[in-house]
């Protein structure tokens, strides 16, 4: 099989990731080794190896301190940000800060080891690369990766670094609703001009983008909004808190002190939430949840909706913001496309439809795979695919955050106070001539590339001096090289573990096969002995029988003996 120019698209989600490629004029989503088309964005460290995906997610309850998830909520964040401190309370794994950077501390191969969010992300990307390579039978290099709308320049750069560490070349970093819009546009029958709102609600983020499709295939992003703290996991947290309280009331015990119990409860809460999208009630039954207490309870859809009411309401605020930013009325929106696993929640669908005065929502594209579809399509276009189907497909992105300068520090964010925004970098423009306040004229240029990563230049009109900065995540070239080498080491470690397990399996299965052979010989020997004993007894008891009778008995004995003798490989017959 062959992915054109080996380019794949990866939808890198907070909770799940998905990989696809363009082949024979269409996108194929690649299943993982378990046959699933999305793979949990989880990494687990054990005494022997690093696990990623399904196997890692299964470790959450048994190996909670060393199983890392939600890395989207770690990447590019400030440890001292109060929101981040709140987030940390939900994670069983340990996070700390060193030289202004975040790290996760885990036990790997019996030793403490620190990993940056970029490294954890690179492990997820590497897994998606492996899934693609196993399916395609050849190596994959180029990739388009999706990120949430609200990722700032630092976070986007961190994803570029993570892909380099994973041995990938990031052709483009793209907002996930934009990727979904590409998938929508590819499947759409030409119906003229459209204003399309893509509503993307996944595990950790809510992204809303409004597209103006003036000409067939030209997707002009006119407004974007996003909330990095609004998604399925936040709904799960509400359910968890509800049941922790119920447990307290019923048994007078606080189960939050037991990380394993909390993880088991969370798993069941997420399951219940999914069930409530189809049923009015879901049951939770966890045996020996805490101090040998069985916890059997239930949750109604109504209760679930009430406990998340404020979160659900903030969804419509985001849509409102996008409409305001684009100066559009609700009635100007021709199509509302739903993507992301959490858009399956009936209440959310109802609220969005009601917000648009009862408008029918478009659920035609696969909510789990749409972003990977779009990313794979873009990967193929960027690798030179000239298919007629893709002709004229063009995406014009918008920046989601405001940019600003204070003295010569560069900030990104939507707050009017610089301190509440992200400091992207600072640069020096020396030799500005002394002049009264407001007199020096400095021309600042913000240049955002297609990945959403910023370059800022400043030009002093009086002196003609200039300077320029490119936003980087802070990893030097040498650090990236070291991390690439370390990743290669982990990969070799993993390969060694796989080979060891394979060799053990071969020896084990040969040993057990031999044991079966011995058992078989034993059974045959018993059968033969019985037949021989029978024959001797008959001969003793029948000294004077007729020829026919002896021949008859001989045939009976041969019928039993011959198959056994042949199986044992002994030549000749008795
Ligand atoms: P995504 O990031 O798009 O893969 O979405 C993952 C999120 O969707 C997780 O929080 C899931 O719990 C949630 N999800 C998936 N299926 C359903 C469903 N049927 N009902 C409610 N939430 C769901």
């Amino acid at each position: 099989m062959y992915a054109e120019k080996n380019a794949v698209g990866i939808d890198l989600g907070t909770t799940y990731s998905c990989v696809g490629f363009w082949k024979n004029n269409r996108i194929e989503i690649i299943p993982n080794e378990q046959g699933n088309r999305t793979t949990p964005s989880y990494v687990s460290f054990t005494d022997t190896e690093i696990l990623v995906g399904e196997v890692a997610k299964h470790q959450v309850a048994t190996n909670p301190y060393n199983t890392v998830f939600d890395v989207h909520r770690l990447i590019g964040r400030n440890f001292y940000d109060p929101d981040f401190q709140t987030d940390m309370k939900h994670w069983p794994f340990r996070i700390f800060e060193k030289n202004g950077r975040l790290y996760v501390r885990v036990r790997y191969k019996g030793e403490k080891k620190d990993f940056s969010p970029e490294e954890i992300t690179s492990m997820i990307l590497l897994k998606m690369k492996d899934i693609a390579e196993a399916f395609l039978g050849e190596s994959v290099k180029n990739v388009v990766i999706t990120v949430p709308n609200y990722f700032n320049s630092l976070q986007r750069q961190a994803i570029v670094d993570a892909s380099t560490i994973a041995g990938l070349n990031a052709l483009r970093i793209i907002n996930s609703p934009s990727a979904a819009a590409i998938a929508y546009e590819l499947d759409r029958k030409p119906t003229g001009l459209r204003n399309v709102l893509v509503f993307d609600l996944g595990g950790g983020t809510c992204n809303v983008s409004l597209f103006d499709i003036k000409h067939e295939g030209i997707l002009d992003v006119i407004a974007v909004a996003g909330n990095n703290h609004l998604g399925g996991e936040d709904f799960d947290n509400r359910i968890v808190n509800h049941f922790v309280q119920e447990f307290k009331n019923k048994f007078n015990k606080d189960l939050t002190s037991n990380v394993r119990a909390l993880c088991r409860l969370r798993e069941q809460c997420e399951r219940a939430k999914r069930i409530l999208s189809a049923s009015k009630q879901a049951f939770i039954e966890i045996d020996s949840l805490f101090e040998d207490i069985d916890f059997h309870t239930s949750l109604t859809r109504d209760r679930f909706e009430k406990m998340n009411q404020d979160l659900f309401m903030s969804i419509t605020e985001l849509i409102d913001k996008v409409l305001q930013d684009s100066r559009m009325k609700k009635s100007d929106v021709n199509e509302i496309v739903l993507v992301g696993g959490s858009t399956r929640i009936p209440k959310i669908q109802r609220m969005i439809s009601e917000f648009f005065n009862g408008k029918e929502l478009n659920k035609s594209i696969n909510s789990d795979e749409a972003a990977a579809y779009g990313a794979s399509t873009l990967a193929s276009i960027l690798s030179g695919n000239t298919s007629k189907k893709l002709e004229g497909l063009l995406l014009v992105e918008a920046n989601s955050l405001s940019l600003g300068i204070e003295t010569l520090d560069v900030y990104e964010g939507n707050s009017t106070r610089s301190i509440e925004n992200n400091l992207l970098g600072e640069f020096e423009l020396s030799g500005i001539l002394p002049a009264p306040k407001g007199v020096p004229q400095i021309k600042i240029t913000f240049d955002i590339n297609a990945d959403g990563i910023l370059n800022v230049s400043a030009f002093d009109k009086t002196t003609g001096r200039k300077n320029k900065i490119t936003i980087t995540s802070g990893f030097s070239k040498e650090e990236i090289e070291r991390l690439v080498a370390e990743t290669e080491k982990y990969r070799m470690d993993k390969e060694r573990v796989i080979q060891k397990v394979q060799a053990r399996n071969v020896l084990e299965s040969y040993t057990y096969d031999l044991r079966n052979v011995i058992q078989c010989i034993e059974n045959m020997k018993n059968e033969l002995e019985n037949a021989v004993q029978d024959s001797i007894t008959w001969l003793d008891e029948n000294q004077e029988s007729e020829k026919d009778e002896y021949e008859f008995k001989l045939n009976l004995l041969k019928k039993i003996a011959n198959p056994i003798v042949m199986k044992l490989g002994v030549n000749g017959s008795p």
Side-chain angles (χ1 to χ4, degrees), residues 42 83 188 302 341 388 424 471:
Y42 280 65
D83 284 346
R188 184 172 76 103
D302 197 46
K388 202 139 184 58
L424 295 179
I471 306 306

Side-chain angles (χ1 to χ4, degrees), residues 497-531:
V497 172
I498 291 172
Q499 284 178 3
K500 193 169 83 177
V501 170
Q502 274 171 352
R504 186 190 157 86
N505 285 348
V506 169
L507 173 63
E508 205 166 61
S509 86
Y510 186 67
T511 307
Y512 284 104
D513 280 356
L514 273 186
R515 195 170 75 172
N516 288 343
V517 168
I518 293 170
Q519 190 58 50
C520 214
I521 292 172
E522 205 72 30
N523 294 345
M524 288 190 291
K525 190 173 150 251
N526 288 343
E527 203 181 343
L528 209 51
E529 262 175 10
N530 289 343

Side-chain angles (χ1 to χ4, degrees), residues 15-16 202-203 232-233 270 273-274 277 340-342 344-345 367-368:
T15 45
Y16 287 89
E233 290 196 343
E270 200 245 355
K273 177 191 69 177
R274 288 179 187 243
S277 292
S342 299
R344 294 197 181 94
I345 296 173
S367 54
D368 298 321

